Amino acid sequence: MVNDGKAAPIIHAALKRLEYRGYDSVGEATVYDGRLLIKKDQGKIDDVHKRLDLDDLPGKMGIGHTRWATHGAPSMVNSHPHTDCSNKIAVVHNGIIENFNDLKDELTDKGHVFVSRTDTEVIPHLIEENMKSGLNFVESVRDSVKRLSGSYALVAIHVDEPNKIVFARNASPLVVGISETGLYASSDIPTLLPLTKKIIEVYNGEMVILSEKGVEIRRIEDWSPIKRESSIITWTVEMAQKQGFPHFMLKEIHEQPKCLEDTLRLQQRYIDLLTTFLDRSKEIYLLACGTSYHSCLAASYMFSNLCNLPTLPVIASEFIEQYGEAVNIDSTILAVSQSGETADVLHAIEQARFKAATILGLTNAIGSTLTRVSRAYICQQSGPEIGVAASKTFTSQLMVLSQIALRLAKVRGKISQEKIDYLEEKMKDIPNMVDKIILNQEKKVKGIVEKYKNTKCFYFLGRGINTATAFEGRLKLLEISYIPSIAYPAGESKHGAISLVEKGFPVIFVCPQDGTRKALIGNIMEMKARGASIITIIDENDKEIKALSDEYVDIPSDVPELLSPIPYVVPLQLFAYYMAVEKGCNPDMPRNLAKSVTVL
Ligand code: F6R
């Protein structure tokens, strides 16, 4: 809401910055001259704007939404904002209302008419129903929210309250921004940065009322007022923009040397704290989804090797079924989530907390739910990642996790001082090494993409800790270029997947000079014998494997095995990026995906 001028162009621009979180439909609503005005439709923001002119709505106060469908297919009627029967109340919502069917039946029985198939639409109708019973708008929102189960960051406006916007939060992110010229709220901080750097976080179970009086925060349960200081965000606007790169993903790949350096700085006290908790535990579960899970998989090799501590990497959505009963007071969960809001991770944590396990977090989003449910947490320190496909997330997380593993090894006295010194020294070289790889190998990777651009399937293989690198390379490629691809620990491939291999079938091997090398050469020979085209990511001095390769990408020598996924993944990120561009796909916005998956 702005002091003067129009809210709609501000909302439109803010939605553009929020588009990475979902982009199948978009909508805005303002209140003007006693009327609720709405523009919304299916499609990406730019397309809908071309059709409807999203800037054209009058009014100083408004709300907007960019959607990633959960209930009801992308369509105009299912787009937010949603309204009540009288068309006086408009609501946008991020999250899922689990009990919406029951509420919808109840409200339908009372005569409410629903037009969409969304869960969100029950909210304006609930508010309308509460107002009928004599409550004012804010009280009605409060009582409505109390009846919702599920996750929400929701916003409601009413035509009769043209200077008031009401927000509520449970398990979906929400922040408020304050400036001289207006009050704002959004699901994330980068959206607000061009408007203000003065931010107040909103926590679960809280409601916020923005009005001419300012910002009022209340606990929903007992309506007690909450005083919370604002903080100044130091991220610059440019940090959240593309900085001259054609896509965020490429910018973020190129940012990795800087992020890795940042990750090496200033973490010591948090690393110490996390190490203290980890040292006390009988077993460690590394919990995550997607790319963050691949970081955990690699980290499990680090922890097991350096610290002699059973460490189990677990896909968060499987945790309850797999380990829900086993987890106990002696277990520690180290949850790894860039966004800190991934619903599968938070859900698994709930179960672990119930069993009295210790929860630790590694995230990129301080103030996220993960940081609040963790006993202690650490930041991956890589700045906002806008490209939907995670890139700098993987390398930064690994840099933090390797530091934690090393510190724990020291504390537990499990490796020699010599090895600790060596690894600590080598860690410092990694940012520079990644810089060199990008500088010297990007062109080569583009050339490989050009040669294999019509390939229908790729096979990624690695051994040991670089099994995780192979998995991550596969995930990057398939999620942004839609090329079905497979990844295996190289030793396992002969137990089935090798049957896919025929003449010219491309197999990408991750081959550092380490303990797995000999066995890996055996796997390369198996593939060559069946006519496969061999592409290797390889130590620059490894002449033997180069001679076996149809294509190779050089990685500087002398990377310790346990740190090798960090440099070795970089060519695979570039490969996926250029393949997506070659195929005309937008790497920043892969179809059906969202940056932060806040549903189970
Ligand atoms: C892959 C990707 C996703 C995320 C996953 C977890 O490129 O971006 O697989 O890694 O959704 O997200 P966070 O780390 O936010 O929990």
Side-chain angles (χ1 to χ4, degrees), residues 96-104 122 147-150:
I96 288 187
I97 307 303
E98 284 164 6
N99 57 340
F100 87 101
N101 267 326
D102 292 346
L103 291 169
K104 196 168 177 176
V122 296
R147 298 216 44 210
L148 304 177
S149 21

Side-chain angles (χ1 to χ4, degrees), residues 128-140:
E128 179 185 28
E129 191 59 28
N130 279 323
M131 288 187 81
K132 274 190 206 157
S133 71
L135 299 178
N136 68 29
F137 174 50
V138 173
E139 291 164 345
S140 300

Side-chain angles (χ1 to χ4, degrees), residues 249 288-294 336-343 345 362-363 370 380 385 387-391 393 397 472 475-476 479-480 590 593-597:
M249 186 180 176
C289 306
T291 290
S292 298
Y293 168 72
H294 296 149
V336 179
S337 171
Q338 188 279 133
S339 60
E341 300 292 350
T342 298
V345 173
L362 164 58
T363 181
L370 178 57
Q380 71 185 54
E385 189 177 60
V388 165
S391 53
T393 280
Q397 286 174 345
E472 177 59 9
L475 175 62
K476 286 289 87 76
E479 71 181 332
I480 62 174
L593 292 176
K595 183 69 185 163
S596 177
V597 184

Side-chain angles (χ1 to χ4, degrees), residues 14 20 86 177 191 209 272 359 392 418-419 496 524 535 582 599:
Y20 71 91
S86 63
T191 309
I209 300 126
D272 281 343
I359 312 296
K392 57 182 181 170
E418 201 186 346
K419 188 160 183 193
I524 293 175
I535 304 169
E582 181 63 48
V599 293

Side-chain angles (χ1 to χ4, degrees), residues 275-324:
T275 304
T276 308
F277 282 113
L278 290 168
D279 189 34
R280 282 194 210 151
S281 45
K282 290 235 167 65
E283 78 262 320
I284 303 171
Y285 296 94
L286 298 171
L287 194 80
C289 306
T291 290
S292 298
Y293 168 72
H294 296 149
S295 301
C296 290
L297 182 59
S300 68
Y301 289 80
M302 298 174 186
F303 281 85
S304 300
N305 274 280
L306 296 174
C307 318
N308 281 4
L309 193 61
T311 311
L312 302 163
V314 196
I315 292 175
S317 56
E318 288 297 309
F319 178 78
I320 293 176
E321 300 301 326
Q322 209 173 354
Y323 297 111

